Amino acid sequence: MGSCNTHNPSFLMYALIDCNNFYASCERVFNPKLNDKPIVVLSNNDGCVIARSNEAKALGIKMGEPAFKIKNIIKKNNINAFSTNFALYGDMSQRIMNILSSMIPLIEIYSIDEAFLDLNQHSTTQIYNLCHIIRKKILQGTGIPVSIGVGRTKTLSKIANHISKRKQRYGGVFILNKKDEDLILNEISVSDIWGVGSKLGMFLPSLGINTAKQLKYTNLKFIRSKINIIGEKIVKELRGKSCFDIENLVPSKKSICTSRTFGNMVNDLNDLSSSIAMYATRCAEKLRLQHSYAYLAHVFITTNPFREKTNQYAQSKIIKFPVATNDTSEIIKAILFALEGIYKHGYEYKKAGVILSGIIQRGEVQENLFDSKNRFSNEIIMGTIDKINRKMGQDIVRYAALGYKKKWQLKQQQLSPCYTTRWSELLTINLN
DNA sequence: TCTGGGGTCCTAGGACCC
DNA sequence: TCTGGGGTCCTAGGACCC
């Protein structure tokens, strides 16, 4: 944890580039009929709204709203609803990040649709021109519109981005210069600051702090005592002292989770076991992908908390491996054993998951004197399975515990084709 | 009426992000 | 009837040690 950079020359600038309504825009790229039409993208099981086009926002559809509650609005306004297509969004994201990397030496891929850029080598005029070129290149190369905000710290660049996205007149690029900061921060509500969530968004106003400008001029020690060290860093960032650096190296994950809400209620232990075995398999794959090992595995099951009238049950268990592992069969075995311990007959289960933690790198694995496993040959087997499955398709080679009948499978009734990642689903254009 | 002090490590839970 | 998924960091408090 580095301390804040107190020598932050005024020419040092950060940019935040953010794709506009990313998932909705991805759907649009391959289906131009959707231009100017309202679009929503739904979470797994077509459950909640997780992305909206501007037109859908204008119709009053809220983020996170359950789909069944807005069925009528969707029908009445001919809103195009899509199931999530992460293969498509992930691939589009990669293309955008590749374009950025080719133009800017230091970038941080912050999320699937956002990146921070280090622009410290550039003057304000250069930055302005560069940002417009970036927008144009991404639009030409991928069809995705983006907004760019520039400021003296990451937090200020987030605020600048907020403005560029909401005020059409800036043409998608807003540069927050030092002299204008107080004026702009005065217009920003504390709850719109990066790092201020729902709880702080209510708490800060109770202290009389309503705008970003008010927070900026609040005493540091006061904030430290009332909130925590992150609160203090946010204030410093608002003052132009950079506390959050550009992180251009992708750190390996410290925890790996695979969990799903089921398409249908599940009450049978066998069905639960096959789903859990599948999640353990995905987790182990992710673990091997970053060449790490885990010594803790966590399994959890829960009934549907929204169904208040039915009996509720939620339980979890953590298993500690004698030697850190990334072997799918070993993880499945441990997880299924733990599941038997927490499973209770007579409940309708709605969600289950597996989390791996205690993650370490290859060289850090402590061997155990009483270890009976042949870890060397297991690694070769895992590597081979990964290779085959990557080439031939997920779960072509699978453990028997996964089964084939999937009562718990997702509902995805509005899935768009994988235009960019599956040969059979490439877009075809009729030239007659 | 009184019950040491200080350090480290670990973990559960909360808040935040997209 | 129908309500997502995958992460990170911080803190408080307990266990343990000297």
Side-chain angles (χ1 to χ4, degrees), chain A residues 18-41 50-57 80 82 85 88-89 92-93 96 113 135 138-139 142-147 165 416 419:
Chain A
D18 189 328
C19 302
N20 300 347
N21 313 325
F22 183 53
Y23 299 165
S25 298
C26 286
E27 297 293 347
R28 216 168 240 171
V29 167
F30 295 94
N31 192 347
K33 279 184 198 157
L34 296 172
N35 286 339
D36 309 319
K37 302 269 176 9
I39 301 174
V40 294
V41 177
I50 56 167
R52 308 155 293 161
S53 70
N54 287 341
E55 298 77 12
K57 288 177 190 172
N80 299 273
F82 292 94
N85 184 345
L88 176 65
Y89 313 150
M92 294 300 288
S93 170
I96 291 166
D113 70 332
R135 281 196 81 227
I138 291 177
L139 192 63
T142 67
I144 301 286
V146 302
S147 300
K165 206 172 279 168
S416 55
Y419 297 107

Side-chain angles (χ1 to χ4, degrees), chain A residues 182-193:
Chain A
D182 277 3
L183 201 69
I184 295 293
L185 294 185
N186 196 35
E187 300 299 314
I188 301 287
S189 147
V190 275
S191 55
D192 287 331
I193 299 171

